[in-house]
């Protein structure tokens, strides 16, 4: 994958006093790392773990350059066109013009000093978005085309919190609005976002706004908007995400701030990291509620149809999303990994489309699944959705994918999950090369599923037969992906842990641990010129005995070669799991 220029856009700094503090950081927080990590599934007691920070890791792992020389923007301005390395990191310092620290201090009375903590004079989100557009154009003009191909000149946008809204304002409104800043006689068309942006990654961005548990606080945010916080009110977002609209305009019925309009940016190029740890954030966690990262609610932290991962991290701070190994590993894989792996349920029984024909809760209980995704060689979980972190998969909603309940929400995701895997041949650190040699060039990932049912009644749950922390079924699918013996194709070895006797690291590939030698052979999908391989792998018999799954339940696994152009269709190969 091409190493394109990365532009980092930080989050909300608050009032003028907060802005003045943030501009002291030369890299707006992208350089921050961490020394604490929670054990015990991510939410246990803290231990020491040293993470260098995303900026430094990009320089170490992907050979990115950071050029400052006193002033990044001035350096860009003075550089020759097509002269700078494309694999470079640039920080968009949009708050600098709103800070008071770069001017001679002026006398302030007591009231003015108080106001510094409640107002954010000089910041406007649409002006920040226009500045981002200008910076992108400047970076593209000054950097070399990757691989010498001019058509591939684009940037990667990486944003935290409000920074993602600045980027979306730029893509959805600024890019689709003629530039009239030089006057009515010098109006010029801007380039569309999909010609400028290759990929868009957000950490904890409130794509659906920030919503509090109390109506009074929501009203205060929308109407008063202290320190410019009214930009997070869902009702106000329409104005800066829509061409021709003005801030404060009423959105039409059905408008969803989490949707990026067709034609703006391919959703396959968008990734949203969703935090699920509210307890390690500040005071706002009390008014935002538990189903959040402490500031942004889980259901508002993603773009509809985009890739996403759920990590037990808070909005920022010691256990924050940006300064976490989990966040970085998702970022790096989304930007540079060769293989995209998509997992879907298939073969499930279906609900009637007519909602009046649905079984009663006595006949059909609520089914939930915890899902965890891990990749060999990493010290952290890539993504997990768990009931005790307020984001399990609601399996009942999986039963009507083609009907009225076909929604893309955190607890009803389409697909079940997606991850990105490096081809071991593309990794060149000593540790990576040792791993590739030891595992014959295969990547391994595991999907852990835990399923339980809850019986409901009119005003709550029926706990008569309930056993807390007990699951009706749990197992892990282990998948090894590697090249065919010829070196030209792809093959996969798959097994459920319940069928493996012994430690999984004893078997390479994983099917070597199956008792039946006939099951040791890999899946040999047929490559279709669209760059995809696909297979269906049946759930174990114990899972298929559950009412929610049934005899035909399986996981659809689609592996896409991202170095090949985008495609929509793929070959299908059905494989039955060992009994």
């Amino acid at each position: 994958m091409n190493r394109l220029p990365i532009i980092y856009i930080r989050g909300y700094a608050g009032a003028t006093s907060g802005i003045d503090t943030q501009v002291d950081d030369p890299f707006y927080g992208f350089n921050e790392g961490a020394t604490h990590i929670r054990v015990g599934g991510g939410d246990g007691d803290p231990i020491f773990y040293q993470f260098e920070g995303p900026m430094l890791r990009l320089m170490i792992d992907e050979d990115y350059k950071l050029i400052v020389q006193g002033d990044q923007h001035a350096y860009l301005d003075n550089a020759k066109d097509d002269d700078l390395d494309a694999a470079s990191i640039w920080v968009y310092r949009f708050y600098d013009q709103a800070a008071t620290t770069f001017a001679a201090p002026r006398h302030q009375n007591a009231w003015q000093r108080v106001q510094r903590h409640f107002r954010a004079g000089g910041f406007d989100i649409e002006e920040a978005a226009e500045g981002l557009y200008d910076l992108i154009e400047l970076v593209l003009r000054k950097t070399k085309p990757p691989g010498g191909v001019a058509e591939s000149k684009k940037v990667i946008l990486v944003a935290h919190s409000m920074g993602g809204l600045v980027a979306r304002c730029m893509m959805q409104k600024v890019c689709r609005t003629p530039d009239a800043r030089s006057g009515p006689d010098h109006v010029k068309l801007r380039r569309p976002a999909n010609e400028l942006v290759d990929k868009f990654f957000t950490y904890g961005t409130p794509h659906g706004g920030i919503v509090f548990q109390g109506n009074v606080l929501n009203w205060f945010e929308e109407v008063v908007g202290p320190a410019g916080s009214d930009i997070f009110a869902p009702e106000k977002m329409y104005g800066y995400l829509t061409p021709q609209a003005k801030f404060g305009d009423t959105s039409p019925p059905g408008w969803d701030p989490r949707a990026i309009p067709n034609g703006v940016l391919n959703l396959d190029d968008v990734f949203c990291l969703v935090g699920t740890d509210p307890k390690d954030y500040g005071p706002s966690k009390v008014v935002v509620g538990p189903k959040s990262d402490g500031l942004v609610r889980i259901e508002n932290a993603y773009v509809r149809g985009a890739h996403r991962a759920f990590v037990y991290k808070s909005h920022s701070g010691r256990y924050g999303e940006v300064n976490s190994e989990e966040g970085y590993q998702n970022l790096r894989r989304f930007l540079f990994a060769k293989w995209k792996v998509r997992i879907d349920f298939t073969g499930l029984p279906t609900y009637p489309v007519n909602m009046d024909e649905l079984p009663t809760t006595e006949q059909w209980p609520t089914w939930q699944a915890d899902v965890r995704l891990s990749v060999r060689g990493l010290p952290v979980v890539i993504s997990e959705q768990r009931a005790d972190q307020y984001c399990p998969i609601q399996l009942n909603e999986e039963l009507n994918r083609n009907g009225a309940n076909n929604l893309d929400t955190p607890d009803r995701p389409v697909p079940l999950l997606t991850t990105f895997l490096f081809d071991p041949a593309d990794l060149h650190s000593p540790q990576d090369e040792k791993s590739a040699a030891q595992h014959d060039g295969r990547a391994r990932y595991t999907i852990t599923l835990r399923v339980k049912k809850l019986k409901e009644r009119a005003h709550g749950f029926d706990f008569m037969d309930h056993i807390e922390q007990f699951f009706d079924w749990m197992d892990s699918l282990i998948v090894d992906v590697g090249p065919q013996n010829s070196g030209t194709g792809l093959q996969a070895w798959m097994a459920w842990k319940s069928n493996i006797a012994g430690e999984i690291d004893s078997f390479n590939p994983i099917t070597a641990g199956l008792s039946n030698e006939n099951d040791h052979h890999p899946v040999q999908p047929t490559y279709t010129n669209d760059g995809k391989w696909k297979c269906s792998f049946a759930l174990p018999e114990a899972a298929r005995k559950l009412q929610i799954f049934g005899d035909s339940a399986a996981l659809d696994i689609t592996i896409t070669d991202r170095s090949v152009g985008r495609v929509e269709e793929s070959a299908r190969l059905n494989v039955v799991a060992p009994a």
Side-chain angles (χ1 to χ4, degrees), residues 406-432:
N406 189 13
L407 300 175
D408 180 30
T409 64
D411 53 4
R412 290 168 286 188
V414 181
L416 176 63
L417 58 86
T418 302
T419 191
F420 301 88
L421 297 178
F422 282 105
D423 187 327
D426 294 335
L427 299 174
H428 302 294
S429 73
Q431 181 178 351
D432 291 329

Side-chain angles (χ1 to χ4, degrees), residues 49-90:
Y49 177 81
Q50 195 168 1
F51 170 61
E52 306 92 322
M55 188 173 73
L56 183 56
R57 285 293 292 274
L58 285 168
M59 297 167 68
I60 295 171
D61 295 339
E62 300 297 334
D63 200 26
Y64 264 74
K65 306 289 190 300
L66 178 67
I67 307 170
V68 180
Q69 296 196 6
D71 186 332
Q72 270 203 323
H73 201 280
Y75 183 85
L76 269 174
D77 270 333
N78 295 324
K80 296 178 181 179
D81 289 357
D82 298 320
D83 188 55
L84 303 178
D85 194 336
S88 51
I89 298 172
W90 307 94

